[in-house]
Amino acid sequence: MSEPEVNEALAAAHGLKPEEYARILEICGRVPSFTELGIFSAMWNEHCSYKSSKKWLRTLPTTGPQVICGPGENAGVVDIGDGDALVFKMESHNHPSYIEPYQGAATGVGGILRDVFTMGARPVAAMNALSFGRVDHPKTKRLLAGVVAGIGGYGNAFGVPTVGGELRFHTAYDGNCLVNAFAAGLARADAIFYSAASGVGMPVVYLGAKTGRDGVGGATMASAEFDDTIEEKRPTVQVGDPFTEKRLMEACLELMATGAVISIQDMGAAGLTCSAVEMGDKGGLGIRLDLDLVPVRETGMTAYEMMLSESQERMLMVLRPEKEAEAKAVFDKWDLDFAIVGETIAEDRFLIMHRGEVKADLPLRTLSGSAPEYDRPWVETPKPAPAGPAPALEMDEALRRLLASPNLSSRRWVWEQYDHMVMADTVVRPGADAAVVRVHGKRKALAFTSDVTPRYCFADPFEGGKQAVAEAYRNLCATGALPLAATDNLNFGNPEKPDIMGQFVGCVRGIGAACEALGVPIVSGNVSLYNETDGRAILPTPSIGAVGLLESVERVIRIAPKAGDRMILIGETRGHMGRSVYLAELFGREEGAPPPVDLEAERRAGELVRALGAEGLLSAAHDLGDGGLGLAAAEMALAGGVGVVLASDPSMAMQEWFFGEDQARYLLAVAADDEEAVLDRAEEAGVPARTVGRAGGDRIVLGDRALPLAEARAAHEGALPALMG
């Protein structure tokens, strides 16, 4: 089959700008073939090349004594002691999930799991961070139902516990939902597998499922805005099979144990193209592929289709040749394809053969390393005008309405569709500050959380970026875990617009400042740009997935207080109402500046909470975020099945005291006998602390108003099921 003639218009249809196509002509010294054009478009799109974000990503802190592998590999790796390592990453599947919710979300889970076990780790936990449009938008209900079903359908069948995440609704996501998937796995610190090929003449092996036409052009689609042609993009969404992926993982881990694997890379975005080029480039080698040897499940596939297919459950490996028979036996046992499809070569070439013809012959290192890198113009986000006075409501009515609001109600409807107990090591289930998973067979445990407050990031990207990291830090500390490291998923609109690029720059600067101050390096991540529909961008949403370590699972701090406990507020309360959920959810007002983030105060408060937990002085703890003190107290009361009585502060308006969103705060539940000791410890640490109430009874009392616990539970638990019908 002859290939189409390449010209500038065809290049533009592949997402390449005129100056980028001119650069390709210069590199090739000729007009590229159609397959070569597809390869360039895949390698140079935003999703694979990070061409708009590289400059700023380099400013993030990525190292530390705990870091074994930072950004640049399939996933980040940190040391958790005893010769163990935690491998983790977060990635987006936003555009596919909007086009085809079930398969888009399912294959997002499949892709992030492959990133983890490609490194030699067995996945032990998954999370997700989901953003949808307003609840009454005609697409929201279908998108939410499909995405949640896809996440559960893939993760449950694969056999990994989905232990936490986020869910938000906002009109800015009406035309572009966000589906960010996180996975973490355990490996031996001395048995991490990397993607750099080595050795000339080594066999390049295709592993897993067969190649089809699903997902052709998916990476390019993920780097474009949406418009009214969205339905035409449905064929670019992949189709997943979790049972095949489970077999693929077991086969890969079994093969890795034999010493046969030189390097390995999963076939994710841009499929065979990206995996082969990355392996060759990192190893300083060329790659020759013969596509006649690629296992396919459809007839008449072209070289272009095979190179750009994003069919799922596939890996590419460089194998020790003497281990070929042993390796093939492993994959035969697991009923998976095993095919030698090429070899490493000394020349700097990416040579693609098909049906006896050369379909592509490109300088590999230039293809990989010469993707455009842009220093996009950007403008700083203007500081918002101050918020107007927050109207007063009766506190019981305000609390009831907040508990029943789409953004603050219980997420039980979501997480009950996920198997969060498979593998039997989940210690703290979804619904708490952070999930906790025991390291199997050991006393230590791992904590996982995902956080960002997009309305803060929109109003002040720098403070919003800081706050995303600070809240993740607080959530880990509130479980007693030492924060170790983070992965980021940076979701923004069109970076070619200076105001959007300014949001990105501000958030990255804020994330970097917070990671540096709190000792939480970024070890992996993903950038998702062009999240716009008809020119309307999402809110800036830099999701932070963070991990922490508990040396002893017996010292995990839970969220449920006991009757008779004293409630102690940690941190300074000024009653900040700008960008609060009180204004947004109850009055439809998104105004003012977000609360400032004092990173030194965050560090001191977090260290204090962890120390108190380690000494057994806490019954429960909860960080204060959305909804402030009032919502935190209600969530603790509902978790413990016990009422909470909180006093008001006469120096402050009720709504500011109970629903202000000042940062660096925790609400602690402490046995009465330990109250003075905790207050003394806080004073020694230089952290503001005061007793604000007690746990007991069957009502949530805020000042002079009470909400029966049963009413609070009905409001909180019933909202999402009612929304979904």
Side-chain angles (χ1 to χ4, degrees):
M1 183 183 295
S2 61
E3 296 198 341
E5 186 174 324
V6 173
N7 55 34
E8 194 168 297
L10 191 57
H14 280 71
L16 293 163
K17 299 190 181 303
E19 61 272 20
E20 293 173 343
Y21 181 58
R23 192 168 178 179
I24 291 169
L25 293 175
E26 184 181 334
I27 289 169
C28 294
R30 54 178 169 77
V31 174
S33 71
F34 184 59
T35 299
E36 288 173 333
L37 179 70
I39 288 170
F40 271 108
S41 77
M43 292 302 299
W44 284 16
N45 67 57
E46 195 73 58
H47 189 77
C48 293
S49 73
Y50 296 91
K51 58 190 176 187
S52 297
S53 57
K54 277 182 184 175
K55 170 184 168 72
W56 299 102
L57 297 179
R58 293 190 188 102
T59 68
L60 293 170
T62 59
T63 59
Q66 72 276 41
V67 178
I68 295 173
C69 175
E73 279 292 338
N74 289 289
V77 187
V78 293
D79 192 332
I80 60 169
D82 306 318
D84 296 323
L86 182 69
V87 179
F88 66 100
K89 191 182 185 183
M90 196 174 200
E91 278 209 343
S92 60
H93 235 223
N94 302 335
H95 286 166
S97 299
Y98 189 79
I99 297 169
E100 175 41 62
Y102 185 96
Q103 290 296 348
T107 52
V109 174
I112 200 66
L113 290 169
R114 283 196 306 281
D115 281 338
V116 167
F117 69 74
T118 299
M119 303 285 290
R122 181 174 291 276
V124 296
M127 294 191 299
N128 51 79
L130 312 176
S131 303
F132 295 96
R134 66 183 191 273
V135 294
D136 60 349
H137 188 277
K139 288 189 175 181
T140 295
K141 184 175 174 180
R142 180 182 69 85
L143 289 172
L144 175 58
V147 164
V148 170
I151 291 169
Y154 204 101
N156 296 354
F158 179 86
V160 63
T162 301
V163 296
E166 295 181 281
L167 170 63
R168 68 181 57 85
F169 301 93
H170 192 281
T171 187
Y173 305 102
D174 284 348
N176 200 127
C177 65
L178 301 184
V179 176
N180 295 173
F182 169 100
L186 287 169
R188 295 297 298 168
D190 59 358
I192 305 298
F193 287 81
Y194 298 98
S195 57
S198 65
V200 175
M202 296 295 154
V204 175
V205 186
Y206 174 112
L207 308 167
K210 288 179 169 58
T211 294
R213 290 189 172 94
D214 51 318
V216 173
T220 302
M221 175 272 293
S223 303
E225 292 183 42
F226 283 157
D227 54 28
D228 56 11
T229 66
I230 184 172
E231 288 301 320
E232 299 171 14
K233 297 180 170 68
R234 192 174 299 275
T236 62
V237 178
Q238 312 92 325
V239 177
D241 178 356
F243 300 104
T244 297
E245 177 124 327
K246 173 68 171 176
R247 289 184 285 121
L248 179 62
M249 178 192 72
E250 297 296 350
C252 286
L253 295 179
E254 183 176 333
L255 186 59
M256 288 167 173
T258 69
V261 179
I262 295 175
S263 65
I264 188 165
Q265 176 79 33
D266 83 292
M267 290 195 224
L272 192 53
T273 290
C274 199
S275 56
V277 170
E278 287 187 7
M279 290 174 75
D281 183 47
K282 289 176 182 176
L285 295 166
I287 300 283
R288 182 188 64 80
L289 297 178
D290 183 349
L291 300 187
D292 296 341
L293 304 175
V294 171
V296 294
R297 54 179 160 84
E298 299 185 43
T299 59
M301 288 191 72
T302 64
Y304 177 96
E305 290 171 326
M306 281 191 269
M307 292 306 295
L308 297 187
S309 168
E310 294 183 7
S311 294
Q312 295 293 285
E313 295 86 42
R314 301 180 302 157
M315 310 285 267
L316 201 63
M317 178 178 70
V318 176
L319 178 71
R320 299 191 189 282
E322 68 274 14
K323 296 275 191 177
E324 179 186 334
E326 186 177 358
K328 186 176 187 307
V330 169
F331 277 78
D332 285 347
K333 182 183 83 171
W334 289 100
D335 193 23
L336 293 164
D337 277 299
F338 176 99
I340 295 175
V341 296
E343 64 177 350
T344 59
I345 57 178
E347 299 92 341
D348 177 23
R349 297 172 75 189
F350 190 41
L351 182 60
I352 309 299
M353 306 295 298
H354 189 219
R355 298 173 185 163
E357 295 181 8
V358 175
K359 293 296 184 180
D361 189 354
L362 299 169
L364 188 145
R365 263 160 273 176
T366 303
L367 172 64
S368 178
S370 294
E373 184 174 329
Y374 296 120
D375 185 0
R376 301 277 191 200
W378 60 278
V379 295
E380 191 167 343
T381 302
K383 297 296 182 187
L393 280 178
E394 296 293 0
M395 290 298 96
D396 58 331
E397 177 64 13
L399 180 60
R400 180 191 291 108
R401 287 171 57 185
L402 286 174
L403 287 170
S405 66
N407 279 309
L408 300 171
S409 62
S410 169
R411 273 51 185 134
R412 182 182 296 274
W413 179 88
V414 174
W415 57 257
E416 282 190 341
Q417 297 185 54
Y418 306 149
D419 188 340
H420 48 274
M421 294 303 293
V422 65
M423 302 173 75
D425 282 316
T426 305
V427 177
V428 175
R429 304 180 186 191
D433 285 307
V436 177
V437 175
R438 183 195 304 270
V439 176
H440 191 73
K442 301 189 178 181
R443 290 185 66 198
K444 62 187 176 185
L446 300 160
F448 303 101
T449 187
S450 171
D451 296 285
V452 67
T453 309
R455 65 183 187 280
Y456 291 176
C457 296
F458 180 78
D460 187 330
F462 181 72
E463 288 298 325
K466 285 166 60 181
Q467 193 273 342
V469 176
E471 184 166 359
Y473 179 86
R474 286 199 305 273
N475 281 335
L476 295 175
C477 291
T479 67
L482 171 68
L484 287 180
T487 180
D488 57 10
N489 202 149
L490 308 177
N491 307 274
F492 291 82
N494 184 346
E496 297 168 51
K497 298 177 179 178
D499 59 328
I500 300 295
M501 196 64 206
Q503 293 175 350
F504 181 86
V505 171
C507 284
V508 170
R509 284 177 161 174
I511 289 167
C515 288
E516 194 73 55
L518 300 175
V520 183
I522 299 285
V523 299
S524 60
N526 172 248
V527 178
S528 176
L529 303 178
Y530 296 96
N531 288 291
E532 298 198 4
T533 298
D534 295 327
R536 185 187 184 205
I538 62 165
L539 295 180
T541 311
S543 300
I544 300 294
V547 304
L549 177 67
L550 284 140
E551 292 294 345
S552 172
V553 72
E554 287 82 12
R555 284 302 183 201
V556 64
I557 307 169
R558 299 183 184 270
I559 195 174
K562 302 179 182 68
D565 282 344
R566 301 298 185 259
M567 308 303 292
I568 296 178
L569 176 61
I570 293 288
E572 188 171 2
T573 299
R574 295 189 178 95
H576 187 97
M577 298 300 288
R579 301 289 156 171
S580 65
V581 293
Y582 183 89
L583 286 179
E585 297 292 334
L586 302 185
F587 301 98
R589 288 168 48 186
E590 297 186 23
E591 59 188 56
V597 179
D598 181 335
L599 295 169
E600 179 57 27
E602 293 282 2
R603 186 188 59 78
R604 285 197 306 269
E607 289 175 350
L608 172 64
V609 171
R610 294 200 309 271
L612 294 171
E615 294 171 32
L617 292 173
L618 301 181
S619 296
H622 193 7
D623 96 295
L624 270 60
D626 281 349
L629 175 61
L631 198 73
E635 288 172 342
M636 293 178 79
L638 291 170
V642 61
V644 172
V645 179
L646 298 185
S648 58
D649 184 325
S651 69
M652 202 175 293
M654 285 273 201
Q655 63 270 29
E656 294 174 354
W657 170 248
F658 285 116
F659 297 113
E661 295 181 5
D662 306 280
Q663 300 293 291
R665 297 190 301 161
Y666 300 79
L667 185 58
L668 310 181
V670 176
D673 291 345
D674 294 326
E675 178 184 0
E676 289 304 318
V678 169
L679 293 172
D680 289 345
R681 289 293 305 279
E683 186 175 7
E684 291 167 10
V687 177
R690 59 191 285 191
T691 301
V692 293
R694 59 178 176 79
D698 59 1
R699 301 183 302 166
I700 302 168
V701 180
L702 304 183
D704 59 355
R705 306 291 293 190
L707 180 65
L709 202 57
E711 286 186 31
R713 190 176 303 283
H716 195 232
E717 299 282 356
L720 206 49
L723 166 67
M724 298 307 295

